[in-house]
Amino acid sequence: MITPQWLENAVFYNIYPQSFYDSNGDGIGDLNGITEKLNYIKDMGFTAIWLNPIYESPYRDGGYDVTDFYKVGKRYGTNADFERLCAVAHQKGIKVCVDLVAGHTSLECEWFQKSCRAEKNEYTNRYVWTDNWLNIYNGECIGGYAQRNGAYMKNFFYCQPALNYGFANIDEPSWQLPPEHPDCRKTKQELINIMEYWISLGADGFRVDLAASLIKNDYDGKAIIKFWQEIRTMFDEKYPECVLISEWSHPSRAITAGFHIDFLIHAVFPAYTSLFRAEDERNVPRIFFGDSFFDTRGKGNIETFLNDYLDEYEKTRDRGFISIPTGNHDLARISYGRTNEELEAIFAFIMTMPGIPFVYYGDEIGMEYIPDMPSKEGGFTRTGSRTPMQWEQGKNAGFSDGEKELLYLPVNENGVNVKEQLSDENSLLNKVKKLIALRKTTPALSACGDIEFLNRKDGGYPLVYKRIFNDETYLICINPSNDDKKFEMELYADMIMKNGNVEISERGIVLGAVSYAILKLK
Ligand code: GLC
Ligand code: CA
């Protein structure tokens, strides 16, 4: 397998396109707006961006309900705008990855409309349909929508009918097809065509939505692993510089399947939630972070994270990367209930871990989560994490020239903003920028350096770990709690970066409330 070199130093910026920057005053962020802000992205040190869906859509799930996979949604601009975005980004050394909603389409998609017809046609098996209108297959299928005598399977919301990539285990043979069935192969071929199309316009890779969901009844994941392996082989042969990023949250499977990067988020393991987000599994945000490790009460336990993480890391480290993102469009913002000092400590962690960091737009300024925002486009509790980027004080926080009523979502005009933070040396933004720069210039801190956790007693406070590459060793010490924490070890080191009260001596380190230190061992 081939790993593109650029990944080893990559730091991604995740952009929700409708909320980033509106270039034409219609109140909705667009591709030209992103192009205009590439200098900011470059200046921060980001080397790549992941764009949430930019396709034509009725937006019943924020664009994760695609009508035309070959067309940029009107509100975002044109395919030519996308090509220009990629071209300008590439000139600046920034890679552009797009979202690939592989598992489903919108109801309006022409394929689905044809698939609904009673008479057989090319698209009859493009989606998963049961054999009669009464069979809703344990409630997973929606009846009563189509003219044909069957119910369609949904992949997420009712308005996201599942594309048919087949069933790994067949329990109702009258309608379930195996993955090798020619019609299922055709669905897969279409997915490949879509990928090749966006690559031809300049895309450098894909973040694959619900990557594990495509093949049904695949209990051990074997069929879906094989499915993606074929695509990775094609990438290695034809597009060795392009990357596959999965929303799978099971790195040992995803990376075996051929993904270059898998996100550690909430789906499978408690690893991520136990770090920052001890919220319930339905992702309902809470004001208290329960027993998260990164919490000032210091009641978490790093073992919950390490139990999952170390195992997955060992299984995948030579083949791909685990990403611990700051957040995304599905989670309450990491700033929720936290101070800037707490956020800085989290960034110090994320920017010194192996794998590849992803920063959700606005997290670098500690942008606020808005808890009670009415749901927009199927966002529900996620809506409060999708508000427009806050560029400066004043009209629409610099997001748009348009009238307030036109804005995609209300913008916080008096909140934190980029302009103020740029001019304040001690702002979160400037600290994040320094951490990114440090990571990129220090092989031991970047994607591939080794890691060793030193303090695993008493919940693991303070967090102490080594990062090692060749003959360089760094020590990262983080105290997210409100109490002083100390760690005893023989310590000869130079201080590289810190925040809060930190004292080092030859006998160890003492970390005051919410502090961290990055040290280079002598
Ligand atoms: C993924 C996306 C989420 C979307 C869902 C269905 O989890 O991140 O936003 O609603 O898939 O496509
Ligand atoms: Ca616009």
Side-chain angles (χ1 to χ4, degrees):
M1 284 202 297
I2 299 166
T3 301
Q5 185 110 48
W6 64 268
L7 277 184
E8 284 168 19
N9 249 333
V11 181
F12 274 76
Y13 194 50
N14 172 193
I15 295 178
Y16 202 60
Q18 52 270 60
S19 296
F20 195 58
Y21 185 61
D22 171 23
S23 70
N24 61 354
D26 66 358
I28 300 181
D30 45 58
L31 296 182
N32 287 340
I34 297 168
T35 308
E36 276 186 49
K37 293 295 186 186
L38 284 171
N39 281 341
Y40 167 71
I41 294 166
K42 184 181 162 79
D43 185 53
M44 283 300 297
F46 296 112
T47 62
I49 54 185
W50 153 35
L51 302 173
N52 291 105
I54 53 170
Y55 310 101
E56 198 56 79
S57 164
Y59 307 109
R60 288 187 198 164
D61 184 18
Y64 281 92
D65 47 332
V66 177
T67 297
D68 186 343
F69 284 105
Y70 294 93
K71 199 162 170 235
V72 165
K74 237 207 200 106
R75 73 187 197 182
Y76 301 124
T78 62
N79 289 23
D81 293 339
F82 178 77
E83 281 187 270
R84 198 169 69 88
L85 166 59
C86 293
V88 179
H90 292 161
Q91 277 165 17
K92 297 180 193 297
I94 297 170
K95 305 282 183 181
V96 180
C97 295
V98 296
D99 218 300
L100 185 70
V101 190
H104 47 270
T105 70
S106 80
L107 298 173
E108 278 86 340
C109 178
E110 200 189 334
W111 310 339
F112 186 67
Q113 288 304 318
K114 289 189 174 152
S115 197
C116 285
R117 292 183 188 159
E119 67 277 9
K120 255 202 157 44
N121 62 66
E122 204 190 328
Y123 294 95
T124 298
N125 286 332
R126 178 57 59 91
Y127 296 81
V128 181
W129 291 92
T130 60
D131 51 352
N132 75 71
W133 65 284
L134 277 171
N135 182 1
I136 56 165
Y137 195 55
N138 309 321
E140 285 177 54
C141 299
I142 311 285
Y145 182 83
Q147 202 191 11
R148 76 188 264 175
N149 181 17
Y152 69 83
M153 184 172 275
K154 67 180 174 70
N155 214 33
F156 194 68
F157 289 152
Y158 82 98
C159 56
Q160 290 160 311
L163 286 162
N164 193 359
Y165 298 97
F167 283 70
N169 291 283
I170 292 180
D171 52 6
E172 297 194 13
S174 57
W175 56 276
Q176 298 171 350
L177 306 178
E180 316 71 70
H181 189 280
D183 289 343
C184 299
R185 296 292 307 180
K186 267 194 204 148
T187 314
K188 182 173 184 181
Q189 188 52 50
E190 188 77 53
L191 186 69
I192 292 170
N193 296 348
I194 293 166
M195 295 173 116
E196 298 206 271
Y197 177 71
W198 291 97
I199 291 174
S200 80
L201 297 190
D204 299 291
F206 303 90
R207 173 270 190 188
V208 180
D209 187 61
L210 301 176
S213 76
L214 311 194
I215 294 179
K216 305 303 176 193
N217 292 359
D218 182 26
Y219 311 118
D220 57 6
K222 287 216 173 90
I224 190 67
I225 288 174
K226 188 165 158 245
F227 177 98
W228 285 110
Q229 276 172 341
E230 266 180 57
I231 294 182
R232 172 61 182 265
T233 303
M234 188 267 292
F235 266 59
D236 282 355
E237 279 164 15
K238 285 176 82 173
Y239 310 109
E241 286 297 299
C242 292
V243 299
L244 294 163
I245 307 160
S246 52
E247 185 200 26
W248 194 320
S249 284
H250 198 153
S252 54
R253 283 190 183 184
I255 286 163
T256 305
F259 284 93
H260 299 81
I261 308 174
D262 185 35
F263 288 118
L264 201 71
I265 40 174
H266 48 99
V268 177
F269 296 111
Y272 187 74
T273 34
S274 77
L275 282 174
F276 317 121
R277 300 165 180 284
E279 56 205 20
D280 81 18
E281 277 175 2
R282 282 165 297 118
N283 193 20
V284 177
R286 296 196 326 209
I287 195 89
F288 295 114
F289 284 77
D291 296 328
S292 291
F293 183 78
F294 282 88
D295 184 281
T296 50
R297 288 174 301 167
K299 294 230 158 65
N301 191 335
I302 201 66
E303 288 305 307
T304 319
F305 167 71
L306 291 180
N307 281 342
D308 287 336
Y309 175 78
L310 287 179
D311 187 39
E312 292 291 304
Y313 171 70
E314 287 306 330
K315 284 179 180 155
T316 57
R317 54 172 306 183
D318 299 324
R319 297 179 292 140
F321 302 102
I322 295 175
S323 173
I324 303 173
T326 64
N328 66 29
H329 62 294
D330 292 330
L331 301 163
R333 280 195 185 266
I334 194 121
S335 65
Y336 196 41
R338 291 199 169 95
T339 63
N340 270 356
E341 285 67 37
E342 292 172 67
L343 293 174
E344 190 181 328
I346 288 177
F347 272 100
F349 169 71
I350 287 179
M351 292 302 165
T352 56
M353 284 293 284
I356 298 182
F358 276 63
V359 176
Y360 185 54
Y361 83 98
D363 282 351
E364 74 277 25
I365 52 172
M367 224 170 95
E368 305 83 356
Y369 172 73
I370 317 291
D372 296 316
M373 187 141 284
S375 182
K376 169 104 178 180
E377 297 184 348
F380 301 97
T381 57
R382 307 176 293 183
T383 310
S385 297
R386 299 174 176 185
T387 57
M389 181 67 171
Q390 295 157 204
W391 294 102
E392 57 190 43
Q393 276 251 327
K395 187 177 178 187
N396 300 331
F399 161 69
S400 167
D401 275 343
E403 297 305 315
K404 243 183 200 41
E405 313 71 72
L406 293 176
L407 297 192
Y408 179 71
L409 280 169
V411 60
N412 187 355
E413 286 185 346
N414 303 311
V416 294
N417 68 65
V418 170
K419 195 170 171 194
E420 275 169 21
Q421 292 204 12
L422 275 173
S423 61
D424 171 3
E425 206 195 320
N426 287 315
S427 64
L428 183 62
L429 178 151
N430 275 314
K431 296 299 189 72
V432 171
K433 194 167 151 180
K434 277 193 195 136
L435 285 163
I436 294 175
L438 180 64
R439 178 183 181 88
K440 282 169 43 186
T441 51
T442 313
L445 297 179
S446 69
C448 304
D450 288 335
I451 190 163
E452 190 187 327
F453 288 87
L454 303 187
N455 182 19
R456 301 185 63 170
K457 285 184 312 219
D458 304 326
Y461 294 94
L463 183 60
V464 181
Y465 53 97
K466 278 185 183 165
R467 295 294 317 277
I468 307 150
F469 188 78
N470 290 342
D471 50 4
E472 282 195 340
T473 301
Y474 281 71
L475 189 75
I476 295 94
C477 310
I478 306 177
N479 177 17
S481 84
N482 263 337
D483 304 314
D484 289 1
K485 297 283 173 188
K486 69 169 188 235
F487 185 71
E488 286 172 4
M489 67 183 283
E490 198 178 295
L491 184 59
Y492 299 95
D494 290 324
M495 180 75 77
I496 304 296
M497 203 171 153
K498 68 162 191 130
N499 194 36
N501 293 324
V502 179
E503 278 168 40
I504 55 171
S505 72
E506 289 162 13
R507 280 162 291 117
I509 184 161
V510 183
L511 294 132
V514 193
S515 64
Y516 73 88
I518 301 172
L519 308 168
K520 186 176 179 195
L521 297 190
K522 290 192 206 168

